[in-house]
Amino acid sequence: MSTPPSAGQGQTPPRGHDQPTSSRAWGYSRGWRLFTATVLRVLLRLVMKHEWQGREYFPRTGGVILAPNHMSYADWPTVALFSDAYGHRFPVFMIKSPIFKVPFVGHLLYKVGELPVYRDRSDAGLVLRQAEEALRAGACVIVYPEGTATRDPDLWPMVGKTGAARLALTTGAPVIPVAHWGAQFILPYGSKRPHLFPRRTVRMVAGAPVDLSKYQGQRLSASTLRNATADIMADITALLAKIRQQTPPAVPYDPAVAGSGEIPAGRTSSGAPAASGATPEGQDPPASPEPPASPESSGSSASASPASPAPPEPSASASPASPAPPASSAPPASSASSASPPSPASPVLPASPAGQA
């Protein structure tokens, strides 16, 4: 007696309390697609401005994976408009399955060809099979490699999940990295109140396809998928660094490591980059010590300094109050001044946080 194939072998699993409510084949309605594209283009252009680059990297036909960074719930409409209005490819998103149960909205998502993501289910591979089907049919599939909005304190891309890499290596579809900046100010992550006015500019850039050729033909082991995912995330991060004109952290934020209490190299206990003082656009930079006054800007403060004694240096703060040493052991004044290293007028400052990472 033969045993039935498992859900991971291309068969539709039996329904049950832990199974998805739908395993329909992937498809879409051209009319509904035209309707949503028209509505999105009009509405989104009313609430945000755009600066787009990288159209040349969108293939005109054939399956393609767009892999953008993720910072807020305002990401998906901006990515949708970027793909449809700029790249001329209708976007097919992988969306959390509960959204498909919302009346009318779920029906509309199925009609335009979106893909449900079944989390915490025994047949989570079902969505990948549907995504593979969509890619082989020539769809432009949007996959957020991070799986959720980044938890990096400075909003850099964090360690990604392996779904995008698995889809690319299984289907041969190219992965186009996409970076954007600005949507998080319209709707910050965790907030339900959008900031629509004044209109924000969302900057978005597509890059050249990620080079995954060295993984072709390899067994899709965990290490192969992790390495391919790291290459995808590195390309996304490099594009974002150009938009922000800042240097990204050397070590991507890893939620698994952060949750374990371990502090990885290059990170602080809060998860921020150890050498990062980068300030996201639209926020005030952290307070920093006042820099030493230059000769040109010293003015009256420089002339008033002789009237008030300068604060003692930390290394010599006890010297004036301590009794003088015996004459036989006291060095001459000239040698004492040369024996101790000269101290600057004010403490040496760290590099300014602006533009650093």
Side-chain angles (χ1 to χ4, degrees):
M1 180 177 178
S2 60
T3 58
S6 64
Q9 295 176 337
Q11 299 295 322
T12 301
R15 293 195 177 192
H17 64 86
D18 64 339
Q19 303 298 332
T21 57
S22 175
S23 58
R24 66 179 66 183
W26 181 79
Y28 63 90
S29 164
R30 292 182 181 273
W32 277 108
R33 281 195 168 189
L34 178 62
F35 169 76
T36 55
T38 304
V39 171
L40 273 179
R41 289 188 187 187
V42 174
L43 293 180
L44 293 180
R45 290 184 183 278
L46 291 176
V47 299
M48 64 184 72
K49 296 179 288 186
H50 300 89
E51 291 182 6
W52 291 335
Q53 296 180 26
R55 177 185 286 155
E56 65 272 19
Y57 298 118
F58 279 83
R60 294 190 176 184
T61 59
V64 60
I65 299 170
L66 295 191
N69 60 312
H70 196 3
M71 293 180 291
S72 82
Y73 291 130
D75 291 355
W76 75 265
T78 59
V79 173
L81 190 63
F82 178 71
S83 175
D84 182 57
Y86 183 67
H88 303 298
R89 299 297 303 266
F90 189 90
V92 175
F93 284 88
M94 298 174 68
I95 305 173
K96 297 177 183 179
S97 58
I99 305 298
F100 287 78
K101 298 180 181 179
V102 178
F104 178 74
V105 173
H107 178 73
L108 176 60
L109 292 177
Y110 275 123
K111 283 293 186 181
V112 297
E114 308 304 332
L115 300 167
V117 177
Y118 301 101
R119 295 184 174 181
D120 302 325
R121 300 290 182 95
S122 60
D123 60 349
L126 173 63
V127 70
L128 291 183
R129 291 200 299 276
Q130 289 178 324
E132 290 173 11
E133 184 181 353
L135 286 169
R136 292 191 174 101
C140 175
V141 178
I142 315 296
V143 183
Y144 287 102
E146 297 163 277
T148 185
T150 181
R151 299 303 192 265
D152 183 279
D154 286 341
L155 299 182
W156 291 103
M158 60 182 179
V159 173
K161 300 184 183 299
T162 59
R166 182 184 293 274
L167 280 174
L169 296 176
T170 301
T171 64
V175 179
I176 307 300
V178 176
H180 60 92
W181 186 255
Q184 75 278 11
F185 300 127
I186 299 173
L187 184 64
Y189 178 76
S191 173
K192 296 181 180 179
R193 296 185 59 184
H195 306 292
L196 302 180
F197 301 101
R199 287 199 307 163
R200 291 277 189 171
T201 298
V202 178
R203 296 173 176 86
M204 190 166 292
V205 178
V210 181
D211 184 8
L212 300 177
S213 59
K214 59 185 174 183
Y215 306 110
Q216 294 292 341
Q218 293 188 19
R219 185 174 66 89
L220 298 184
S221 63
S223 60
T224 298
L225 293 173
R226 284 196 301 268
N227 292 336
T229 300
D231 289 351
I232 295 173
M233 298 309 302
D235 283 12
I236 298 172
T237 303
L239 290 175
L240 184 59
K242 292 181 180 179
I243 296 177
R244 295 176 59 170
Q245 297 184 350
Q246 296 173 346
T247 304
V251 181
Y253 182 84
D254 189 344
V257 174
S260 68
E262 177 184 350
I263 302 177
R267 291 277 172 174
T268 65
S269 58
S270 66
S276 173
T279 303
E281 179 184 339
Q283 299 183 15
D284 294 330
S288 59
E290 290 294 332
S294 61
E296 294 83 358
S297 62
S298 57
S300 59
S301 61
S303 60
S305 58
S308 57
E313 294 297 329
S315 60
S317 59
S319 299
S322 59
S328 58
S329 61
S334 59
S335 62
S337 60
S338 61
S340 60
S343 301
S346 61
V348 178
L349 299 177
S352 171
Q356 301 290 329

